[in-house]
Amino acid sequence: MNRPSKDDYYLNLALETSKRSPCLRRHFGAIIVKDDAIISTGYNGPARGAPNCFDYGCLKDKNKINAGKGYDYCRAGPLHAEVNSIINAARKNGGVLGATIYIAGEYTEKSKGLSNAHPCIICKKEIVGVGIERVVIRLADGGIESFSVKDWVEEAWNTEDKDIKSFY
């Protein structure tokens, strides 16, 4: 029997969750797990009930803005998968203190396949702020990368110039 590791299992669920995203460029999904139980899921998309790219098209395409830039132009960008999963946990299940978040994504164009799922700087701040302890991501090559959030914070304190970008 070829049983996936827990990290693979949860990352596969995060990738499946990403398929709910209305973004026309990339789909990302996040799963928050605490005590080996899924407490929340989320995908990149607009705020609940707001217009989305499926309905009105991609504002970043219309304004010729590259990926990773111009979040204020993006209907899906304001609520990344990580933040949506944190919001959903707060709405339904309470805290995420000590939890693990699994993040996976893919390009909408089938030929491009998986996308590296490193959290952006804003999502990293949210993850640190709510007390999630571990981040596990799917890489574009199918591999897995894991981070201790505590290490992110220690790295920030051990940087001489205290440049905020060094935190991430």
Side-chain angles (χ1 to χ4, degrees):
M1 182 173 154
N2 190 9
R3 187 175 186 205
S5 69
K6 286 190 180 185
D7 284 349
D8 260 329
Y9 170 70
Y10 290 126
L11 285 168
N12 290 340
L13 292 174
L15 188 59
E16 192 62 30
T17 300
S18 78
K19 293 178 170 120
R20 289 281 307 143
S21 171
C23 180
L24 299 175
R25 289 181 170 198
R26 293 192 292 179
H27 297 166
F28 284 94
I31 304 285
I32 298 178
V33 176
K34 187 172 181 179
D35 300 324
D36 205 24
I38 296 170
I39 62 170
S40 183
T41 65
Y43 51 85
N44 59 313
R48 291 175 189 268
N52 64 61
C53 299
F54 281 168
D55 295 330
Y56 295 101
C58 178
L59 291 175
K60 289 173 89 173
D61 283 348
K62 288 178 184 177
N63 291 287
K64 296 178 176 49
I65 298 172
N66 293 332
K69 307 279 185 215
Y71 290 121
D72 52 339
Y73 281 93
C74 182
R75 296 180 210 282
L79 293 177
H80 286 184
E82 302 92 325
V83 174
N84 254 332
S85 65
I86 291 166
I87 290 168
N88 290 336
R91 289 171 59 104
K92 299 284 185 187
N93 297 309
V96 296
L97 189 63
T100 297
I101 188 167
Y102 293 86
I103 310 163
E106 64 185 350
Y107 293 95
T108 56
E109 301 159 23
K110 295 294 182 200
S111 61
K112 289 191 176 182
L114 293 173
S115 173
N116 281 330
H118 289 97
C120 74
I121 191 168
I122 296 165
C123 290
K124 282 184 173 183
K125 290 176 183 179
E126 298 283 341
I127 289 167
V128 169
V130 298
I132 289 174
E133 288 185 359
R134 185 170 171 247
V135 177
V136 182
I137 66 167
R138 177 71 72 198
L139 299 171
D141 65 5
I144 296 172
E145 192 169 1
S146 178
F147 305 93
S148 166
V149 175
K150 180 180 158 188
D151 290 344
W152 289 347
V153 176
E154 285 179 12
E155 181 181 317
W157 281 104
N158 292 328
T159 302
E160 284 186 35
D161 63 8
K162 299 298 183 251
D163 179 0
I164 190 65
K165 289 189 178 191
S166 68
F167 185 54
Y168 306 104

